[in-house]
């Protein structure tokens, strides 16, 4: 299979805006926009409200859609937008009744047409529908962008089949069967974002009933509504409306035949339990929701009290969280509790399906007056609130960069608490979508105390036992699924989280980078406060490893993640070295042994080369990670997209780059080091383009004088030594320190080894100025503009090729997450994904391929799962022009790389045995201070016997 006119391995020129994105936004606008919500739309008028009693609703919706997309739909004429609108809103397409003959299109009919335009009408498991003039990739791509715009389960509920489908099978069955048979490993998943949206929504419905819920829980910058407080009130209103709508539909099935929802409300006789004291609040809530009127919406405490009264078990869940996924589905959604449903997403699917069936029945009436308008308005408004919330936690296209990602990820925190005790089971089920995995690595953040960390690991182990219990007995030669935890340290910009709240001060001021913030005193220079915070977490981790070495069978690696540009690599190097050293010591103790074996050494990875202003900056951070952070072989790189981005295409689409003077200086110093082989191994040497070294040296001298002051001459070797020593400040032999020390950086500067550090006096002066001088800091934040000319482009190719060769020779695995890279990297089209340059399906050029493994990263934020990520790159390679057989073999090699590069280890002879032992050891550790600890230890010993 080869795309017409395409050449394998040549990336497509990126379009400014993806066609599928624009179509998806137009298609979903009546359900997901604030204009539709505030207008409380229940129908769409093809004549744009001409002759309507309440004009301006469809017209206003279209004008807002036009205004919104005019800012993004580059290259789209209004005629194209109108054509897309007519197709998706009014069903104006071949085979359908033309919009001009319709008086109006109900929201039910609109959604049904939308769903049938993408999905086949089949019960159970369905698959994509595509027109005869479209190929599979186009159909999959358009559907993919639609699921970034609104929840997939809403489309499934709209398919007119009984029973409706519950899953869309996007993957090629032969491909998925081969992956399942051979086994895949999920090696890059953040467990705090490992749920899908139905699970998060169920969790939210439980959390909204928590008596301790705070009015500010949903606060976040750049929300679609005014602020987080208003979003939380609308979520409560939608949750309340769901309960009332469900009771009405239940009453119709139990003999109480009210003609309309209004009659039901007037009689108030259909409720199993009616909170009489809340009638006034209920009436105001439904009225405000039916009108989309925030002025009429009751206050938070009134809404919260009403919803707690309506949720049968909501107030008890914080103290008795669900222990299995089945309990999540059974207890979190009040509709599921009411109807005793325990199937996945059962409560929401019941509400959507029965609501649309009811509306379909009422729309069959010949007179419009027979339509239950109040029910329709409240039903669609409740679904709109859910869609709006979906778009606050699933990363929106056109929001590239990790700082945007952090906003979407941070919004999960308050809503996911009811899922805490089912995280391992949830992560395993979501990653495989019902298919078994060979291994799962789950990333968690470290804790300030060993007690809290032990409690977290205990919860994860207990949840993993659910997976073990439901797994089939392995066939001969196979093993039970493996599980491991990766501790990932989080990079943060500032102590007050002003960047995260959307209020970043100018010039990096008041961040951890500033040596002496104006409003306080920072002892120890740049990043001293951040480093001190991480040291607390590192020591808590080390204490647990010393006290319970057996956890090294569970705790398998270290990572650093989040805002890549927020903290430089040198700050994390001592922490990595310290933990790795202590873990190796703990692994050799008798207490760490299981089944006659010691656990393997702790493994290392890092998120790097994903977010950058200049491509050279991303490459520099990859180099720093390889050279200084990876203290042992067998590590991995998270994302590392800078290794595979085509420099010329990047330069053409960027034009010029603005960045800080100090980061530009370090980029040039790094580049010079690769040309001159300054304190680097031979495999990292880069072939310098003609004339480039002299140009770089002159630029280094000029920038160094501007940043550090013009009193001294700064030659490239001195800056290169400073860059090297900065990353080795607390390491032997560069400093006279104990191995694995976490003393302050200032002490390390004074303890530099004059026999190992070249130009010691100059290097020490530069290090002090860089770390402690406020004026140097401020000058370093001044912006510089870099033109991406031929010399810059040649340098990018030379440096990128050198790093790719080194990564390939060292067999460092790059963790690729296609959907994450698509959105964070703003790649527009996966056919431009760096994977096709890093590891092409067919050999190309002189640079050897880089080992690649595929993972899902954050399933909820990127609306994905592991098997889908495999399918995405499979389709991307096919449509890039590679033969199908070649792509299939290539994908299998990537699968094997993921298995070979995993950090998890088998728990032999049976996983349940070690899981029980781990639980007992962690229980003993947590309860060691309790007088009854002796009894706990006795119980554990009995269980082992």
């Amino acid at each position: 299979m080869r795309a017409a006119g395409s050449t394998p391995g040549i990336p497509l020129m990126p379009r400014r805006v993806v066609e599928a994105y624009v179509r998806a936004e137009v298609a979903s606008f009546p359900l997901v926009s604030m204009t539709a919500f505030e207008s409380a739309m229940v129908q769409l008028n093809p004549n744009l409200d001409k002759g309507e009693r309440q004009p301006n609703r469809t017209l206003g919706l279209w004008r807002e859609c036009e205004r919104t997309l005019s800012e993004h739909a580059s290259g789209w004429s209004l005629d194209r937008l109108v054509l897309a609108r007519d197709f998706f809103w009014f069903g104006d397409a071949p085979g359908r009744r033309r919009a001009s003959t319709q008086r109006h299109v109900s929201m039910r009919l609109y959604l049904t047409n939308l769903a049938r335009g993408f999905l086949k009408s089949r019960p159970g498991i369905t698959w994509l529908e595509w027109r005869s003039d479209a190929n599979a990739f186009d159909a999959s791509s358009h559907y993919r962008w639609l699921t970034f715009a609104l929840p997939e389960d809403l489309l499934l509920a709209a398919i007119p089949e009984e029973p409706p489908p519950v899953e869309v099978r996007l993957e090629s069955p032969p491909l998925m069967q081969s992956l399942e048979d051979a086994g895949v490993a999920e090696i890059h998943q953040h467990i705090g974002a490992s749920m899908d949206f139905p699970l998060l929504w169920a969790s939210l419905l439980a959390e909204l009933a928590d008596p301790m819920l705070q009015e500010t829980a949903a606060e976040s910058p750049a929300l679609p509504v005014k602020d987080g407080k208003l979003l939380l009130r609308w979520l409560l209103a939608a949750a309340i409306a769901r309960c009332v709508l469900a009771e009405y539909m239940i009453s119709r099935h139990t003999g109480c035949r009210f003609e309309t929802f209004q009659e039901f409300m007037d009689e108030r006789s259909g409720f199993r339990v009616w909170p009489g004291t809340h009638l006034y609040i209920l009436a105001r809530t439904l009225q405000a929701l039916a009108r989309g009127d925030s002025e009429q919406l009751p206050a938070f405490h009134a809404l919260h009290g009403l919803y707690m009264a309506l949720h049968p078990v909501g107030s008890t869940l914080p103290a008795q969280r669900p222990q299995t996924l089945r309990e999540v589905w059974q207890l979190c959604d009040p509709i599921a509790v009411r109807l005793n449903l325990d199937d996945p997403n059962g409560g929401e699917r019941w509400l959507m399906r029965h609501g649309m069936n009811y509306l379909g029945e009422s729309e069959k009436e010949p007179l419009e007056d027979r339509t239950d308008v109040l029910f329709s308005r409240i039903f669609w408004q409740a679904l709109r609130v859910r869609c709006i919330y979906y778009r606050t936690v699933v990363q929106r296209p056109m929001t590239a960069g990790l700082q945007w990602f952090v906003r979407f990820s941070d919004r999960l925190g308050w809503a996911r608490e009811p899922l805490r005790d089912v995280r391992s089971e949830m992560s395993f089920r979501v990653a495989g979508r019902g298919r078994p995995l060979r291994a799962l690595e789950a990333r968690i953040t470290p804790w300030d105390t060993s007690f809290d960390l032990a409690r977290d690991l205990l919860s994860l182990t207990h949840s993993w036992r659910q997976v073990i219990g439901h797994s089939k007995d392995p066939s001969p030669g196979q093993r039970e699924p493996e599980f491991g935890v990766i501790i990932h340290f989080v990079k943060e910009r500032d102590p007050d989280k002003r960047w995260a709240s959307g209020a970043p001060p100018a010039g990096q001021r008041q961040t951890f980078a500033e040596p002496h913030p104006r409003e306080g005193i920072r002892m120890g220079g740049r990043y001293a406060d951040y480093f001190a915070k991480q040291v607390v977490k590192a020591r808590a981790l080390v204490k647990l490893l010393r006290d319970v070495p057996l956890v090294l069978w569970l705790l398998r690696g270290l990572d650093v993640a989040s805002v890549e540009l927020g903290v430089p690599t040198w700050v994390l190097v001592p922490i990595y070295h310290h933990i790795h050293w202590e873990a190796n010591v703990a692994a050799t103790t008798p207490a760490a042994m299981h089944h006659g074996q010691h656990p393997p050494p702790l493994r290392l990875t890092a998120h790097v080369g994903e977010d950058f202003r200049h491509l050279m900056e991303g490459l520099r951070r990859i180099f720093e990670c390889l050279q200084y952070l990876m203290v042992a072989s067998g590590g991995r790189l998270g994302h590392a997209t800078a290794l595979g981005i085509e420099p010329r295409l990047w330069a053409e689409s960027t034009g010029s780059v603005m960045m800080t003077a100090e980061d530009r200086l370090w980029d040039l110093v790094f580049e010079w080091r690769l040309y001159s082989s300054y304190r680097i191994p031979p495999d990292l040497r880069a072939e310098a383009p003609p004339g480039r070294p002299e140009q770089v040296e002159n630029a280094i001298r000029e920038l160094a004088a501007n940043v550090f002051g013009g009193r001294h001459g700064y030659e490239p070797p001195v800056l290169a030594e400073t860059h090297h020593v900065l990353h080795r400040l607390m390491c032997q032999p560069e400093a006279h320190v104990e191995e694995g020390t976490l003393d302050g950086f200032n002490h390390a500067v004074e303890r530099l080894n004059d026999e190992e550090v070249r130009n010691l006096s100059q290097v020490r002066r530069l290090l002090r100025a860089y770390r402690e001088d406020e004026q140097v800091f401020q000058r370093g934040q001044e912006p510089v503009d870099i033109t991406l000319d031929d010399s810059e482009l040649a340098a990018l190719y030379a440096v990128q090729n050198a790093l790719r060769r080194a990564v390939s020779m060292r067999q460092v695995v790059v963790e690729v997450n296609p959907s994450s890279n698509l959105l964070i990297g703003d790649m527009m089209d996966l056919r431009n994904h760096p994977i096709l340059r890093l590891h092409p399906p067919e050999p190309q050029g002189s640079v050897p391929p880089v080992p690649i493994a595929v993972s899902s990263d954050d399933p909820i934020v990127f609306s994905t799962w592991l098997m889908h990520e495999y399918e995405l790159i499979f389709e991307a390679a096919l449509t890039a022009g590679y033969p199908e057989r070649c792509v299939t073999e290539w994908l299998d090699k990537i699968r094997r790389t993921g298995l070979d590069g995993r950090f998890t280890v088998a728990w032999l002879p049976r996983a349940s045995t070690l899981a029980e032992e781990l639980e007992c050891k962690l229980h003993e550790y947590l309860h060691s201070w309790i007088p009854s600890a002796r009894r706990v230890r006795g119980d554990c010993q009995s269980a082992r016997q």
Side-chain angles (χ1 to χ4, degrees), residues 288-319:
L289 188 62
R291 297 177 179 178
D293 187 353
S294 59
E295 297 295 326
Q296 291 188 357
L297 189 64
F300 164 76
H301 294 291
L303 290 165
H304 188 213
L306 174 57
Y307 183 62
M308 284 196 295
L310 287 170
H311 198 306
V313 297
S315 61
T316 65
L317 286 178

Side-chain angles (χ1 to χ4, degrees), residues 110 118-119 190 216 276 320 440 567 606 771 855:
Y110 146 78
F118 286 91
L119 302 174
H190 298 269
T216 57
Q320 302 175 17
L440 170 66
V567 180
R771 294 200 60 261
S855 294

Side-chain angles (χ1 to χ4, degrees), residues 223-269:
L223 289 168
V225 297
K226 182 179 69 173
D227 55 33
K229 293 180 180 179
L230 181 57
L231 175 63
L232 187 58
R233 288 163 64 203
W234 280 127
L235 287 169
L236 283 164
I240 291 166
R242 292 175 78 257
C243 296
V244 182
L245 292 172
E247 288 295 340
Y248 171 58
M249 288 185 284
I250 291 171
S251 73
R252 291 177 56 82
H253 287 85
T254 56
C256 302
R257 300 293 295 181
F258 296 98
E259 289 294 326
T260 65
F261 181 66
Q262 184 64 63
E263 288 184 16
F264 169 77
M265 291 300 299
D266 291 341
E267 292 294 327
R268 302 186 302 276
S269 61

Side-chain angles (χ1 to χ4, degrees), residues 807-815 838-839 849-853 897:
V807 170
S808 179
M809 290 176 63
R810 299 181 186 191
Q811 287 297 290
V812 175
V813 175
V814 175
E815 304 161 0
L838 287 175
H839 193 107
V850 170
I852 294 294
T897 301

Side-chain angles (χ1 to χ4, degrees), residues 356-571:
M356 280 188 267
N357 285 345
Y358 172 67
L359 290 174
E361 293 173 4
S362 64
E363 288 169 13
K364 293 177 183 178
E365 298 289 342
L367 299 176
E368 184 182 351
D369 291 343
R370 300 296 299 275
T371 302
D372 194 337
V373 176
L374 182 61
F375 180 95
S376 182
R377 283 192 178 176
I378 293 175
F379 177 77
W380 290 113
Q381 290 290 83
L383 291 184
R384 284 193 180 99
V385 171
R386 188 172 186 259
C387 289
I388 290 168
Y389 178 68
Y390 178 83
R391 290 161 71 95
T392 69
V393 295
V394 174
Q395 181 150 357
R396 303 291 302 126
M398 313 300 147
T399 57
L402 284 171
Q403 196 64 53
W404 273 110
F405 160 76
V406 168
R407 291 187 179 181
F408 288 95
S409 180
D410 284 352
R411 292 168 185 164
L412 302 173
W414 69 278
R416 68 189 175 203
E417 190 59 27
L419 302 174
R420 170 162 289 276
D421 291 341
V422 301
R423 287 172 295 164
S424 302
E425 182 187 5
M426 172 182 71
S427 182
F428 185 81
R429 302 301 176 202
V430 170
R433 275 269 179 120
R435 301 178 181 90
L437 305 177
R438 283 277 300 278
L440 170 66
E441 291 179 19
R443 283 163 166 79
I444 66 170
T445 53
W447 292 84
D448 288 344
T449 69
S450 59
F451 180 91
D452 288 328
L453 178 58
R455 186 170 54 181
D456 203 16
L457 294 176
L458 176 62
S459 171
L460 293 170
T461 305
H462 181 76
S463 180
W464 186 248
R465 290 185 67 181
Q466 293 293 325
V467 176
I468 297 170
H470 288 105
S471 297
K472 297 179 181 178
D473 289 334
S475 304
Q478 294 184 338
R479 292 175 176 174
E480 295 170 288
E482 298 173 1
F483 181 57
V485 173
I486 312 298
I487 300 289
H488 75 91
F489 288 83
V490 177
K491 291 186 175 183
E492 300 173 294
R493 292 261 190 188
D494 61 292
D496 299 324
K497 300 189 180 300
R498 295 192 62 186
W499 277 75
S501 65
Q508 293 284 335
R509 287 173 173 80
Q510 301 175 40
T511 65
F512 288 118
E514 190 173 14
H516 300 290
R518 185 174 302 175
E519 298 177 2
I521 299 175
R522 177 164 296 147
M523 303 298 294
R526 292 195 192 199
Y527 300 102
D529 291 352
Y530 173 82
F531 180 73
K533 288 178 60 176
Q534 307 316 308
V535 165
V536 171
K537 300 176 189 298
R539 286 176 173 158
L541 171 56
V542 166
K543 180 175 178 3
L544 182 61
L545 295 180
R546 290 172 177 172
D547 294 344
V548 192
L550 192 69
V551 299
L552 282 166
W553 291 93
L554 170 66
L555 205 158
R556 295 300 312 134
L558 296 181
D559 188 14
V560 58
S562 196
V563 186
E564 183 177 346
L565 300 179
V567 180
T569 308
W570 60 266
V571 181

